[in-house]
């Protein structure tokens, strides 16, 4: 096993890259391409990422990536889209949203081997195209959530909720073989969701 495979950052990036590709046909290789691209763009500067490298990681040919996405730019724009994740995360009434958010994240990780949000963490602190990941996350996750909330300090509360969700993803990655991995999604939601819901309720 090489050093990168044992690097916790690489492991977490891999898990973050898995994401939710519920609409992708796995038989076409598209889902594998997106998973590999999420890892690549989150973990390395845009200029260093190549379609050939993504293809090798995904176990497909570079020509298949071109068939599905045409260019690296279009592939990156697809990776930088948090809209589908937001649609799943926010598909519940406000009074039940905290529990729904936690259950959705935990089940996504277990059923699809990835977190739909965590890749934004690896885009921090870099002034290249990865800034678009942060901008899209703010627009499609944080600001969209703020628009759903009522009462005072909606943007601040939305930012804090986003932090709680990213923290949950990070903890699941860090302790993937720990107590959390042996607890049902419902059990985790029983403990974690009330704190999220308090911020939703304001």
């Amino acid at each position: 096993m090489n050093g990168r495979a044992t690097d916790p950052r690489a492991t977490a990036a891999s898990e973050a890259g898995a994401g939710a590709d519920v609409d992708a046909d796995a038989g076409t290789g598209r889902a594998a391409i997106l998973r590999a691209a999420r890892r690549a763009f989150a973990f390395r500067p845009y200029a260093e990422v190549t379609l050939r490298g993504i293809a090798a990681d995904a176990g497909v040919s570079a020509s298949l990536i071109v068939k599905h996405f045409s260019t690296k730019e279009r592939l990156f724009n697809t990776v930088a889209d948090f809209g589908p994740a937001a649609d799943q995360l926010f598909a519940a009434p406000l009074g039940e949203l905290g529990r729904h958010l936690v259950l959705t994240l935990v089940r996504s990780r277990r059923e699809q081997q990835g977190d739909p949000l965590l890749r934004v963490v690896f885009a921090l602190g870099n002034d290249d195209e990865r800034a678009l990941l942060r901008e899209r996350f703010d627009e499609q996750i944080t600001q969209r959530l703020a628009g759903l909330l009522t009462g005072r300090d909606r943007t601040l509360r939305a930012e804090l909720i986003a932090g709680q969700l990213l923290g949950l993803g990070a903890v699941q990655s860090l302790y993937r073989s720990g107590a959390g991995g042996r607890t049902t999604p419902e059990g985790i939601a029983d403990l974690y969701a009330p704190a999220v819901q308090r911020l939703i309720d304001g």
Side-chain angles (χ1 to χ4, degrees):
M1 183 175 293
N2 61 35
R4 181 170 181 177
T6 60
D7 186 338
R9 295 176 307 155
T11 302
S14 175
E15 292 164 351
D21 297 315
V22 293
D23 295 325
D25 180 1
T28 68
R30 188 176 189 274
I33 292 167
L34 285 173
R35 286 193 293 270
R38 284 172 177 150
R39 288 191 293 267
F41 287 125
F43 209 59
R44 298 194 298 277
Y46 179 89
E48 295 180 6
V49 176
T50 65
L51 294 185
R52 188 179 299 277
I54 292 172
D57 189 20
V60 302
S61 66
S63 62
L64 186 62
I65 298 179
V66 174
K67 176 182 177 182
H68 282 299
F69 299 100
S70 299
T71 65
K72 184 172 83 168
E73 181 181 6
R74 289 189 62 182
L75 176 57
F76 178 82
N77 284 330
T78 302
V79 166
D81 184 8
F82 290 93
D87 290 341
Q88 295 179 38
L89 287 167
F90 302 144
L94 283 181
E96 304 168 15
L97 187 57
R99 187 173 185 84
H100 175 78
L101 288 170
V102 174
L103 287 174
T104 300
L105 286 181
V106 175
R107 287 170 177 164
S108 173
R109 175 181 174 79
R110 295 186 181 182
E111 295 169 7
Q112 301 170 32
Q113 301 301 306
D115 186 295
L117 303 179
L118 197 56
R119 65 187 182 273
V120 75
V121 173
F122 298 93
L124 299 177
N126 297 285
D127 295 325
D128 60 18
E129 287 82 352
R130 284 179 290 180
L132 181 60
L133 281 171
R134 303 193 297 273
E135 293 168 5
R136 290 274 182 88
F137 184 89
D138 181 61
E139 174 189 346
Q140 296 176 328
I141 299 295
T142 308
Q143 296 303 322
R144 180 170 169 182
L145 176 58
L148 297 173
L149 300 178
T150 60
R152 300 177 58 184
D153 301 317
R154 291 181 295 172
T155 299
L156 174 59
R157 285 156 51 207
E159 291 175 356
L160 293 173
I161 292 165
Q164 286 183 315
L165 299 179
L166 291 172
L168 177 60
V171 165
Q172 289 186 101
S173 177
L174 182 62
Y175 297 109
R176 56 190 178 279
S177 300
R182 299 188 297 271
T183 303
T184 65
E186 291 75 15
I188 293 174
D190 287 343
L191 293 172
Y192 203 84
V196 179
Q197 189 63 47
R198 280 195 292 273
L199 284 171
I200 292 170
D201 295 339

